[in-house]
Each structure stands twice: as C-alpha cells, then as structure tokens.
Amino acid sequence: MNEYSYDYRTVQGFILSAIFWGVIGLVIGLLISVQMWDANFNFGEYFSFGRLRTIHTNVLAYGLGIGAEFGIFYYLTIRLTKRNLVLGKLARFHLWLFNVGMVLATFTLFIGMNQSLEYAEFEWPIDIAIVILWVIFTIVILTNIFKRKEEHMYVSLWYIIATLIAVAILYIVNNLHIPATLTKSYHLFAGTNSANVEWWYGHNAVGFLFTTPILAMFYYFLPKATGLPLYSHRLSIISFWSLIFAYLWTGAHHLVYTPLPDWIQTLGIVFTLFLIAPSWGSVINGYFTVDADWSKMRTNYLTKFFVLGITFYGLQTIQGPSQGIRVISSLIHYTDWVPGHVHMGTMGWVTMIICASVYVIIPHIYKTEIFSEKVANIHFWLVLVGQLMFSITMWVTGIQQGAMWKMTNADGSLKYTFMETLVGNYPYWQMRTVAGVIFVVGMLFFVYNVFMTIRKGMAKAALADAKAA
Amino acid sequence: MSHKKDIYSKTIPFALMVAVTILIGTIVTTIAPMFTKGMHPKLENLQPYTMLELAGRDIYQKEGCVNCHTQTVRPLKADVLRYGDYSKAGEFAYDRPFLWGSKRTGPDLARIGGKYPDEWHIQHMENPQAFFPKSNMPKYPWLKERAINVNEMKARMDALGFPYTEEDVAQAAESTELDAMVAYLQIIGTAVEKEGAMVIEEDSVEDENPLAGNAAALEEGKALYAAECAGCHGVNAEGNIGGSLVDYAAAEPASRDTYLVIANGYEGVMPGFASSFSKERIWALVEYIESLGK
C-alpha cells in the first residue's frame, strides 16, 4: 500500500483540538494557582476556585489529554494496521462530537453541575455523551485492528486495546447514578462503598488515561524518532500484563486512614508497591533502547523528550507507591505534596510524550521537517524547568504543612493553628505560580512550532500542486 | 524477531484476555466488597438528610467545596486533636456520593456540625477574611440571594428515597441557599456523640496568670486575637456574634475563669481552644483580654 494515500485529517483535527483545550486548561490553571494565595482573584460565582479547579482538571484531562490520545491513537492505528481508517467518516464525526461535547461539558461545570467525584465530575447527560464518544472511538479502532494488513499486533496496539476496554468499564461503573432531574443525580453507591468505587475509578483513570495510552505512544515513537529498535520485546510483554493486572487492585491507597475496611486499604497498598516492577519494566526498556546509542541525546532533538519523559514516569511510579505506605500517607496525604506528585506525572511524563509524539506526527503528515528544532529545544527546557520548580516547591510545602499539622506542645495541645499552617504555604504557592508561568510559556513555544510546521507543510504542498498543474 | 502466530496476532482472544486480567482486581477489591456487611454500616442515630440539609449538600457539591475541604478525620492523634473524634464508617450511609475529599487547603469539616452557632457560618460564608484575615477561601455572597427551588428538591428527595413532610417543603420554600448551606454544615458529623478532644479541669489551672504583666505575652495575645478571635468578638473586641470582651474585662473576672472559657468553650456557642492553643497562648490571650478593661 502506498502510504502517500493515508488520510490523517482527523488525526490532525484532534491534535489541534487538544491544543486548543490545552491552552484554556493551562490558563485556568494559572488563575487558580493565584487564587490559592490571594482570595481576591476569585471573581464571582463562575470564576471562583471551587468551579475553576474542577474545570482545570477536566479540561486538561479530557480536552488536552484524551483529545490528543484520540488523535494519536488514530495515527498509531493507521500506521500499525497499515491502512486508512476503515470507518473514516465515523472518526470524522467523532472529532466534531468531541469538540461539541467539550463545549457543553465545560459549560455544565461553569454552572455548577458537579457530581463531586474527582475526575468524574460531569453530570449524567454528559456521561452518556462521553460513553457514546468512547464507543465510537472503540468501534473505529477495533474495526481497523480486525482488518489490519499486518499480522502481528505491535506493543502499542496492546496498550490501545487495554485502554479501550478498561476505560469503558471504569467510566460506566463509577458513573452509575440515580438521576433526579436533568441537571442532578446521586451516586448509586453510598458512603464507604461510594468512596471505594470512586477511587478504584480515580486511580485507574490515571492508569488507563495517563499511563497505558502514553506507553502506547512511547513504545512507538521512541524507536521511530531515534531510529533505534526497541530493546526487549519480552520485557514489554511482562510489563504489559503485570501492569494491567496490578493496576486495578490499587485504588484504596487513596483512602488510607479513612473508614474503608482495613483489608481493602492494605491490599491496595501492597499492590501499589508491586506496581513499581511493571512500571520500571517500561522505564528500563526505554533506557536500554537509547543505550544502543546515547549520542542520540545530542544529535536527535526528540530523544531527550522521550528519555526525560520516561524518567519522570519512573520517578512518579516510585513516589506514588511510597505515598501509599501508611506512615508516609499520614504525613503527606491531604497536603500539597499530592498536587506536586500529580503534576510531575502530567507535566513531566504525559505532556512531554504527547508533545514529542506530535513533533513526529505533524511533520510526517506534511512530509516535511519540523519548523524549528531550536524552538522545540526552548520548549523542552522551559517545560522541564517549570515542571521541576512546580513539583519541588509543592513537595517542600507539603512536608512542611503535614509536619505543622502534626506538631504538638509539651502540654499536649497543637503547636500551630490551621491558619498558621495555611499561611506557611503562601510563599511556596507564589513560587508555584511562577513555575506555572514558565511551563505555560514553554507550551506556547510548542504551539507556535506546531502551527508554523503546518504552515510550512501547506506552503510546500501548494507549491507541489502548482508544479503538477 | 520472527513472530509465530500467538495471542498477539489474534484480536479477540487478546482482547478477552485483557478484559479478564482487568476484571480480577476489580472484582476482588471493588465488586465483591459491595456484598459484605462491612461496606454498609449505619449508626443507630444517623438520619436521612432533610430537604433543607440536602439542598445545602447539593450546593456544597455545586460550589466544588470538596476541592478544598475533606470530611474524614483520620484516627491519628493530631487529626483528632484538631478536628474531633475520628470518622466512623457508619456515619456516611446516606452520603451519595461520599464527600471525604482528598485535599485540605481548608480545614476538615467532618466535625463542623454544632461547632459554631449558625450566625458564624452566615457571616463566614459572606466574608471569610473577616474571621481569618489571611484566609484564602472565596466569598460566597450570592448564596443569600437565591431561593431554594422546591420542585427540584422534591424530585431530588424522591430520587434518594428520603422522607419529607409538608412542613419540610414549606421550610425549604422560605429559605435561601445560604440557609440550606448552614443547615447542612450544622448536621455534618453529628450522628457521633461529641467528645471534646481535650477538657481542662478547673483545678489544673493556676489561680493567677503566670504571664501577668509580661509585655511580650500581651503582644502575642493581641496578635492571636486578631488572627483567631476578632471574627466573633469584633476587631475592637466590642462584640459581634460573641459578646463584647471590653465589657467582659471591665467586670474584672478571675483570670482562671477566663482561661477556662477559652480552653473549654461553650457547647454550640463557642468552640473550646484547649487542643489548638498551648497553655502559654491561652494565658497570653487572657492577658490581652484583661488589658481591654483597663
């Protein structure tokens, strides 16, 4: 099959949509970071922290993260099944529905339709729309996989299939709600049970929206971008199965020291510790792939994105399990340590790999080179510095906060009032805002680079057309 | 590497194997527990939410309060000292969804019910900084301007199967969203008998202020008053929700009595501060309060 006939328009549509939603989510992130240290930056009902924080997480998770995954999965599917999307028109419809859905979903969060389940805030009409979107996505991908022109399924396709199945189960079960009216519903599960279902979902949303899809990209684009073959097929098999097996047991580490039965907490903690193994399976596979030729770090501008991305994944998957251990949880749970942890994953791993993948895809679609490697390098260093500064300040303040909450006087009373522990965060939260600005500026360099590459590609195509005519 | 025709070449068996792998942990940790008693405990005196309380809980969800406030006290010494008795599984049987939260940007609210008088919440929601000048909590002035939609609330109560009477409906009809929020906050955590984490006995307190005449203590007391007490007793200590401390001090009460009021509070009127302030801090406050009468 002549690859020149592949149709990547829907892929590009999703990537541009993801960029659009990403910029909105990042700007809102900056605003709420300021609200954390100065309440005067809450502007009325619609722009108060409680509404905006929910919008920040959802727009970035669903708009940027999943939007990019839709596009990049379509790209991977086309490449790895060696044919155009069989259901190309359905995929096109999927793209439009995604954007209309995102507008509606964001609107419902602004007006306060909020189920108050973290990462499952959308009310039931939006949930139904999301399930429809996911079913369409699954049908398009699986149809291509069934009709693939390549006998073997590459590692990335395994992760794609696991993502499709797991997210469907997770999303549907946790969003089982009793609808009262069009705008309001109640969780089918109550109290302790509600908590257990939510964090089984919540943790695996991280697993199957921010780990397996990103690994699908990593396993494809790292060898592609560097020209180095994957180090070990066998290691990728072991990592894959143990990862998707262990993940589902771990949600209860979010509920340490809550009224959830102890045995579920302990089981969650134990499996969380086990998860280090499969996570590091992929990390090692990545490192040893590049180990064939470390000079690629200098000669190929994309290599460092993948190496740093997988490094942060590695750190994330050491830090996460440590946090689950009871004694550590008792210090850092409920503090700013946790957002520090989350943002290392989202800013250091997820966004890093998505951006690197886009840097491969967009020039490939237009059969051209990236607009500017220099701009890509500036992007890289800014997001790296921004992310490190963000995470480290949050870890420091989280430990300080957790310790201040715990400290007691000789007479048995608490050493610090809550306000004193809160005010102690402000200087760190101000530094976090600065870190956020650095990161966002870095991301704007990325956006600029992508748009200029598209412009360059279109000009080149127009020239070729003119010559042909 | 050559590939023989294995599972990675067969789509349906592969997908099935993935589904089974994912479902094992799901079933053991999430589905199976649903059928055990341990997941459905209910304290004897736990009542379903009234219409007004549910309306308040819905607003709590709508405003995203769970982003900053937890509702579960861990069985850890410092948690219990700061917030009260640790949370029991049986307190949450009517909570759909649970609102335990994951972040304490603000304090835990699992034992907020009955801690302060209603008026405290009314003024605090309007302007948190009047109580804690450096607080980062947003103001919620719009709540008091909004009526409760009774038809909507009936549908919500019906969906949950919570009972309600005509009086409940009438009460909700003449309430604002702020009233509902206060009603909800005041019911949270009240199914468990209130136990002061620390109660100070009279004979454990000195007769006279050991810090009497200490200028540094006076300054500390003044600063602590501005940060923690001025909301209720007024910036000039002339009274607001709580009484005027200027008048109080003018009556020249015994230092020990002032100490005990600060330490133990009054049930439902003023929280006790024995677990939150050290002895020295309480005496510093006593020193400041007594200075107001001079």
Side-chain angles (χ1 to χ4, degrees):
Chain A
M1 167 126 198
N2 179 357
E3 85 153 63
Y4 285 78
S5 64
Y6 286 151
D7 178 0
Y8 293 118
R9 278 174 304 172
T10 305
V11 172
Q12 182 180 312
F14 270 113
I15 288 172
L16 295 181
S17 306
I19 287 174
F20 171 77
W21 292 107
V23 170
I24 290 181
L26 289 174
V27 170
I28 292 176
L30 288 181
L31 175 57
I32 62 175
S33 84
V34 176
Q35 289 175 339
M36 292 285 284
W37 49 269
D38 189 346
N40 291 317
F41 283 83
N42 289 279
F43 305 107
E45 172 178 1
Y46 303 107
F47 291 88
S48 69
F49 184 87
R51 304 268 178 103
L52 289 183
R53 191 267 180 178
T54 313
I55 295 170
H56 166 68
T57 52
N58 279 283
V59 165
L60 286 178
Y62 290 85
L64 172 64
I66 300 182
E69 286 165 18
F70 284 151
I72 296 172
F73 275 20
Y74 281 152
Y75 177 85
L76 290 174
T77 303
I78 292 169
R79 301 299 305 172
L80 293 170
T81 62
K82 291 206 165 75
R83 65 182 301 165
N84 264 321
L85 293 176
V86 177
L87 304 174
K89 280 186 181 155
L90 190 59
R92 198 79 191 153
F93 173 69
H94 179 214
L95 171 62
W96 289 105
L97 196 63
F98 166 76
N99 280 299
V100 173
M102 278 302 301
V103 171
L104 280 174
T106 309
F107 174 75
T108 63
L109 293 180
F110 265 111
I111 62 167
M113 285 168 64
N114 182 346
Q115 290 180 163
S116 287
L117 292 168
E118 270 184 275
Y119 314 113
E121 280 94 349
F122 295 127
E123 270 294 351
W124 66 275
I126 302 292
D127 289 339
I128 291 174
I130 289 174
V131 171
I132 292 171
L133 268 174
W134 200 261
V135 169
I136 292 173
F137 180 48
T138 306
I139 291 172
V140 174
I141 299 244
L142 288 185
T143 304
N144 256 57
I145 294 180
F146 278 128
K147 303 195 169 184
R148 68 183 178 276
K149 293 184 173 170
E150 164 77 50
E151 183 179 301
H152 201 76
M153 293 190 289
Y154 181 66
V155 192
S156 297
L157 285 182
W158 316 343
Y159 280 106
I160 289 176
I161 291 172
T163 303
L164 295 174
I165 295 173
V167 171
I169 297 172
L170 291 159
Y171 200 84
I172 290 172
V173 173
N174 190 44
N175 281 293
L176 289 176
H177 273 63
I178 310 160
T181 59
L182 189 66
T183 57
K184 181 74 194 167
S185 65
Y186 297 97
H187 211 196
L188 181 64
F189 315 100
T192 312
N193 206 15
S194 165
N196 197 36
V197 174
E198 154 64 14
W199 282 114
W200 160 78
Y201 162 86
H203 189 70
N204 288 290
V206 176
F208 289 91
L209 290 174
F210 297 130
T211 304
T212 53
I214 312 302
L215 286 170
M217 297 174 201
F218 182 78
Y219 275 106
Y220 180 85
F221 289 108
L222 171 70
K224 210 67 181 173
T226 57
L228 302 168
L230 183 66
Y231 168 67
S232 167
H233 182 67
R234 179 170 299 168
L235 186 55
S236 64
I237 291 176
I238 298 168
S239 305
F240 173 78
W241 290 106
S242 49
L243 184 89
I244 67 164
F245 173 73
Y247 237 110
L248 281 294
W249 297 69
T250 58
H253 68 222
H254 287 259
L255 295 167
V256 173
Y257 287 121
T258 69
L260 185 75
D262 265 354
W263 71 269
I264 304 180
Q265 294 183 28
T266 306
L267 206 54
I269 295 167
V270 170
F271 273 88
T272 304
L273 288 167
F274 171 75
L275 258 187
I276 296 174
S279 307
W280 272 75
S282 292
V283 175
I284 288 166
N285 223 342
Y287 281 158
F288 276 78
T289 299
V290 184
D291 190 49
D293 182 5
W294 280 107
S295 74
K296 292 278 181 194
M297 285 289 274
R298 268 184 292 113
T299 56
N300 177 318
Y301 81 102
L302 278 173
T303 312
K304 60 182 172 293
F305 282 84
F306 290 103
V307 169
L308 263 292
I310 201 73
T311 300
F312 287 121
Y313 175 63
L315 294 174
Q316 187 77 356
T317 51
I318 293 275
Q319 191 182 52
S322 331
Q323 289 166 205
I325 299 168
R326 281 193 173 87
V327 63
I328 296 178
S329 170
S330 80
L331 178 66
I332 55 94
H333 200 30
Y334 306 129
T335 72
D336 279 85
W337 173 285
V338 181
H341 170 69
V342 174
H343 284 85
M344 175 166 65
T346 51
M347 294 157 89
W349 156 239
V350 176
T351 317
M352 194 76 102
I353 300 297
I354 287 178
C355 289
S357 304
V358 170
Y359 277 149
V360 177
I361 294 172
I362 294 294
H364 179 240
I365 291 178
Y366 289 98
K367 299 172 198 69
T368 181
E369 298 297 316
I370 186 79
F371 165 70
S372 164
E373 287 190 15
K374 200 172 166 189
V375 172
N377 286 335
I378 296 171
H379 155 214
F380 173 82
W381 288 108
L382 286 175
V383 298
L384 179 67
V385 169
Q387 181 265 122
L388 282 173
M389 199 172 145
F390 187 122
S391 298
I392 292 169
T393 48
M394 291 298 95
W395 296 329
V396 173
T397 198
I399 291 171
Q400 172 186 286
Q401 198 176 15
M404 285 174 87
W405 285 346
K406 272 176 180 286
M407 287 164 87
T408 51
N409 297 304
D411 61 18
S413 60
L414 293 162
K415 194 166 165 90
Y416 296 102
T417 65
F418 190 86
M419 276 309 301
E420 286 167 329
T421 68
L422 175 70
V423 171
N425 290 332
Y426 288 175
Y428 295 96
W429 283 344
Q430 287 160 352
M431 279 168 70
R432 188 253 303 268
T433 301
V434 174
V437 169
I438 295 172
F439 182 85
V440 172
V441 170
M443 287 301 285
L444 292 177
F445 274 96
F446 163 73
V447 175
Y448 171 73
N449 215 357
V450 169
F451 278 97
M452 293 308 285
T453 305
I454 291 176
R455 220 172 97 168
K456 182 178 154 192
M458 285 167 77
K460 195 177 154 191
L463 197 68
D465 283 353
K467 272 185 186 163
Chain B
M1 182 187 290
S2 70
H3 300 302
K4 55 185 181 300
K5 201 158 168 64
D6 54 18
I7 184 114
Y8 307 102
S9 306
K10 299 173 194 155
T11 314
I12 294 177
F14 178 84
L16 284 176
M17 209 160 133
V18 166
V20 169
T21 308
I22 287 168
L23 282 172
I24 297 169
T26 300
I27 289 167
V28 176
T29 63
T30 307
I31 309 294
M34 290 182 188
F35 301 98
T36 63
K37 266 193 178 167
M39 294 297 276
H40 306 280
K42 185 163 95 65
L43 293 180
E44 250 175 53
N45 50 351
L46 184 75
Q47 298 296 322
Y49 294 104
T50 67
M51 187 177 277
L52 194 62
E53 288 159 8
L54 182 69
R57 193 172 198 271
D58 292 345
I59 296 160
Y60 187 97
Q61 282 187 242
K62 180 180 173 186
E63 297 300 347
C65 304
V66 77
N67 282 314
C68 291
H69 294 284
T70 55
Q71 284 190 24
T72 177
V73 181
R74 296 175 292 180
L76 302 173
K77 179 182 163 191
D79 258 38
V80 173
L81 274 176
R82 196 177 291 282
Y83 302 114
D85 203 2
Y86 67 88
S87 294
K88 316 287 187 288
E91 293 182 65
F92 307 98
Y94 296 110
D95 284 12
R96 294 171 192 271
F98 80 115
L99 292 175
W100 296 348
S102 63
K103 178 75 168 52
R104 284 179 184 159
T105 300
D108 184 90
L109 299 179
R111 298 282 174 244
I112 193 74
K115 182 176 179 181
Y116 300 109
D118 288 359
E119 185 60 24
W120 187 92
H121 290 291
I122 291 168
Q123 292 188 20
H124 183 260
M125 293 298 296
E126 176 87 21
N127 185 10
Q129 286 71 30
F131 288 78
F132 305 104
K134 290 176 180 168
S135 169
N136 61 353
M137 178 165 150
K139 298 173 169 66
Y140 290 89
W142 56 87
L143 295 181
K144 65 174 185 300
E145 283 150 23
R146 301 233 173 108
I148 303 292
N149 180 340
V150 178
N151 288 331
E152 172 81 20
M153 284 317 300
K154 280 184 184 169
R156 294 182 183 184
M157 292 293 279
D158 292 340
L160 287 166
F162 291 169
Y164 57 94
T165 62
E166 282 310 307
E167 287 92 80
D168 293 337
V169 178
Q171 184 200 21
E174 58 195 31
S175 300
T176 65
E177 289 195 345
L178 182 58
D179 299 327
M181 180 63 105
V182 174
Y184 171 59
L185 289 170
Q186 293 290 34
I187 201 72
I188 296 176
T190 53
V192 172
E193 202 164 329
K194 220 179 190 68
E195 282 180 58
M198 264 175 121
V199 177
I200 304 300
E201 302 296 337
E202 196 175 338
D203 52 19
S204 70
V205 182
E206 295 92 329
D207 279 336
E208 290 305 321
N209 189 346
L211 299 177
N214 182 327
L218 182 66
E219 278 310 303
E220 194 195 342
K222 191 176 175 184
L224 192 58
Y225 177 87
E228 297 284 327
C229 316
C232 280
H233 292 284
V235 179
N236 301 318
E238 284 162 353
N240 170 22
I241 302 166
S244 161
L245 297 181
V246 175
D247 295 349
Y248 172 85
E252 297 189 3
S255 297
R256 178 157 74 177
D257 291 346
T258 308
Y259 185 101
L260 287 168
V261 170
I262 297 171
N264 296 334
Y266 288 115
E267 176 77 44
V269 179
M270 170 177 160
F273 290 90
S275 57
S276 347
F277 296 162
S278 67
K279 270 185 119 165
E280 291 73 27
R281 279 187 161 186
I282 298 180
W283 279 124
L285 275 174
V286 172
E287 181 66 4
Y288 172 67
I289 290 165
E290 287 177 354
S291 78
L292 295 168
K294 285 168 194 161

